[in-house]
Structure formats: structure tokens, C-alpha cells
Amino acid sequence: MTEEVQQTLSSHEGTRRSHKVPGLGVEIAPFRIPFHRRLETFAILQWTLTFLIGGFGLTFFSLYLLFTSYYWVSFLAYTWIIIDRWTPSQGGRRFSWSRRWKIWEHMRNFFPVELHKTADLDPNQNYIIAYHPHGIMVMGAFIHFGTEATGFSKLFPGIKPSLLILRGWFFFPFLRDYVMLAGICDSSKDSIDYLLSKNGVGNAVCLAIGGAREALDTEPGKHRILLNRRKGFIKKAMEHGVSVIPVYSFGESDVYDSTRNVPGSKMRKLQEFLMKFTGFSLPIFHGRGIFNYTMGIIPYRRHINTVVGKPIPVVKNPNPTRTEVEDVHTIYVDALKALFDEHKTKYGISEDISLEII
């Protein structure tokens, strides 16, 4: 644990002097708290709003502008989306300076979030980083691979991470260019192929393997991941002959209180229908608020520890059979379980708890 994170944890413990509203059960945040905590709350709020309503909010705003004297702003924005439509699947448009914005450090300190490595990575190789679990908003993945707040480039010199997200994000005006500043690309097959074969070496394609669907199975205190049928990333690794790196983020599933609707239930069927229609999952969750610790959209201040495992070498096979893919997938699953079991007790998980794979 770094000295900065220790100070952050001590600050969290030493300043939480809240009180509850009688009869309501609402825990109100103290009025007088250190200014850095205000900054941390602002940092996480801006990203939470970006994640939850940024895309649709900016889309509705751009449509509104069409009926004002600023219609030309929307016209230019949608024209740009058409002109620039291939960039998200061709390496994106990353800027190192934006990955080092101070706001990301405040966002890191909010939880706080730490990145731990178990092996060096060769900058002359390309990799697929497989991130687990997805959680509600993949907070850890963004902080680690979309910013330099946890020092990725210092831990893994010469490696350039590209976090991949749903392609739908890149149809939202203004927001698409904002997320691309962080080196984020779309998660299409074409995008993965480009990063692993046409963008030089030292590339790390970062995928939240469980995806949006896994968010529907997220529960605090549970270590449940969607992996049994997720084999596309293994196939891509085989096609390009790149190593796969298992990553497990302890605490990712705990930053929100969420309700899992059992597969087959009416609510789960509705969630899956909406996900099929929009491409985005709609889990039922809540966190804390800006001025209270009981209810809101801001995540809880809970420590996230992300462990980057050792690379699993994969032999190049341009046309792997289903059996060959399953064999490598089995090796990957065993390595991920071993990573989880090796490090779980360090982060407050009982020795008898196992990783649940569905």
C-alpha cells in the first residue's frame, strides 16, 4: 500500500462524523470535511454522470439545439461522427496529457483504488488484459487503463493500454471524443484486430470480459463472474498469438448496493430485453449521495485492489477449432482461479470463499 493511499484511508476514517435523521434512517454527511474530500466527490460525480446519462443527455441536448439558433453546433457534431466513424476501431485518439489530469487522481483517492502487478510485461509484445469483475460501472478498469492515476505506465513501462467499451458509446455526440481522450476504443472485432496487428507492439487490449450482462449479476460481497461462455477473447488471442493476462479487481463489486434478479424472473427478462434493444444493461443499484451516505448514484468509498496476473502464453493459430479454443479457455480459467485464491486473503476475503463462475 502506497503512502498516499494510506493517508487517504486515514482521512476517510478520521472525517466521517455523520448523523442520522430521526425516523428516516438517512445518514447525513458532515458539513465540515477536508476540501480534498469535496474534490474527490466531485471527481467521482462527474464520471458517474458521464457513465449513466452522458450519452443520452448529450444526444437530447444536441437535438434540442437543432431548434435553436445554435443548430449548426449539432450539425457539425453529427457530421463529425460520420467523418470520424472509423477512428474508435482504429486505435482511437489518445492524448497522454488528458490521462494525467488531476481529476483522475481525486477519483482514485475517493475509493481509493490500487493497482498491483505480479510480473513484468515485455514492451515488444502485445497483450489482451482480461478484467474481472465488471461490477456496475467498471470503475477500477477505467481508473487503471483509461488514466495514469494508479501509475500504469510506471508499473509496466512501454505498454500502452486501450480500454475497450461498447461501440454504442461512439455514436453519442461530444461524449465519444471525450472518452477517446483516454485511449478508449470500441470493443468490436475489427478494433481488437487493429490494435493487435496494425498498431505496432506494446499494446494491451483491455476487456471487461463479463460485459454489460455481468452487471445484472453483480452483488456486493459476492465474487461472481460471467466467463463460461465468454471465449471470444481467447479466440482473438490465438488468432494473433498474444498472451492473455488475467486481472481480478477485489472490491469492484462492493462499491454499490445492487439487487440481482434471478434469471427467468420477470424483472430479469425485462432487463435482458432492454439490454438487447439498447445494448446497455440496466441493473438495479444505489450508492450514496452528495450530502448523505444512504442513498444516491455516487459509489461508496470502498477500497478497490486490482491484481494483474502473469501473462499466459498463447500459440498463434489463425483458424482455431472450437476444441482448441476451449482448451486454452480452460487454462485461462484455472489461472484466474489461482490468482483469486492466492490474493483473496490479502484483501479481506475468507479462505473458504471461492470464485463463482457462471
Side-chain angles (χ1 to χ4, degrees), residues 106-171:
H106 292 307
M107 184 174 171
R108 173 202 64 199
N109 292 339
F110 176 88
F111 295 99
V113 183
E114 288 189 87
L115 185 64
H116 310 275
K117 81 170 185 178
T118 60
D120 293 328
L121 300 183
D122 184 354
N124 294 312
Q125 303 288 329
N126 289 329
Y127 300 91
I128 291 180
I129 293 178
Y131 185 89
H132 309 272
H134 182 283
I136 298 296
M137 297 187 198
V138 282
M139 292 291 187
F142 173 73
I143 295 172
H144 296 313
F145 310 127
T147 80
E148 285 295 328
T150 53
F152 184 92
S153 63
K154 292 181 180 178
L155 287 173
F156 305 104
I159 302 297
K160 182 172 64 178
S162 296
L163 180 63
L164 272 53
I165 62 176
L166 290 172
R167 190 173 187 179
W169 279 70
F170 299 96
F171 292 105

Side-chain angles (χ1 to χ4, degrees), residues 13-40:
E13 295 171 357
T15 58
R16 182 160 174 159
R17 297 185 178 91
S18 59
H19 68 276
K20 289 187 177 181
V21 178
L24 294 180
V26 177
E27 189 178 3
I28 302 299
F31 179 74
R32 293 183 178 179
I33 62 175
F35 183 63
H36 72 85
R37 283 171 59 90
R38 298 289 188 195
L39 293 175
E40 290 161 11

Side-chain angles (χ1 to χ4, degrees), residues 4 39-40 42-44 46-47 50 93-109 142-144 146-151 153 174-184:
E4 187 172 5
L39 293 175
E40 290 161 11
F42 169 76
I44 196 65
Q46 70 85 24
W47 180 250
T50 298
R93 189 183 298 107
R94 69 195 296 128
F95 287 92
S96 295
W97 63 273
S98 65
R99 290 171 56 87
R100 290 180 168 83
W101 285 344
K102 193 69 176 179
I103 192 171
W104 307 133
E105 294 181 18
H106 292 307
M107 184 174 171
R108 173 202 64 199
N109 292 339
F142 173 73
I143 295 172
H144 296 313
T147 80
E148 285 295 328
T150 53
S153 63
F174 312 115
L175 180 64
R176 65 188 302 277
D177 297 286
Y178 178 56
V179 298
M180 275 198 286
L181 290 175
I184 294 176

Side-chain angles (χ1 to χ4, degrees), residues 217-223 253-259 302:
D217 291 304
T218 295
E219 288 181 281
K222 302 292 184 180
H223 300 278
S253 298
D254 299 329
V255 299
Y256 282 105
D257 285 330
S258 54
T259 301
R302 291 174 180 166

Side-chain angles (χ1 to χ4, degrees), residues 270-289:
L270 175 61
Q271 289 174 313
E272 291 178 345
F273 171 78
L274 293 174
M275 183 173 64
K276 184 177 180 180
F277 179 72
T278 65
F280 300 94
S281 65
L282 298 172
I284 299 174
F285 69 94
H286 75 84
R288 50 161 286 185

Side-chain angles (χ1 to χ4, degrees), residues 148-256:
E148 285 295 328
T150 53
F152 184 92
S153 63
K154 292 181 180 178
L155 287 173
F156 305 104
I159 302 297
K160 182 172 64 178
S162 296
L163 180 63
L164 272 53
I165 62 176
L166 290 172
R167 190 173 187 179
W169 279 70
F170 299 96
F171 292 105
F172 293 131
F174 312 115
L175 180 64
R176 65 188 302 277
D177 297 286
Y178 178 56
V179 298
M180 275 198 286
L181 290 175
I184 294 176
C185 302
D186 80 48
S187 56
S188 65
K189 293 180 180 179
D190 290 341
S191 179
I192 295 174
D193 289 337
Y194 182 91
L195 289 168
L196 295 179
S197 64
K198 300 179 181 179
N199 202 42
V201 294
N203 297 291
V205 173
C206 309
L207 292 164
I209 302 302
R213 184 176 296 277
E214 188 179 279
L216 300 179
D217 291 304
T218 295
E219 288 181 281
K222 302 292 184 180
H223 300 278
R224 180 187 300 120
I225 63 172
L226 189 63
L227 181 58
N228 282 335
R229 296 184 180 180
R230 298 296 172 113
K231 301 173 183 176
F233 72 105
I234 295 295
K235 184 178 180 181
K236 281 299 174 186
M238 297 177 72
E239 290 175 352
H240 294 279
V242 300
S243 298
V244 180
I245 305 172
V247 174
Y248 196 85
S249 197
F250 296 91
E252 180 71 61
S253 298
D254 299 329
V255 299
Y256 282 105

Side-chain angles (χ1 to χ4, degrees), residues 2 33 49 51 65 76 87 108 119 139 147 162 189 192 221 237 257 290 305-306 320 323 341 355:
T2 64
I33 62 175
L49 291 175
F51 190 97
L65 289 181
L76 290 176
T87 300
R108 173 202 64 199
M139 292 291 187
T147 80
S162 296
K189 293 180 180 179
I192 295 174
D257 285 330
I290 300 175
N305 284 283
T306 304
T323 300
D341 290 336
L355 183 62

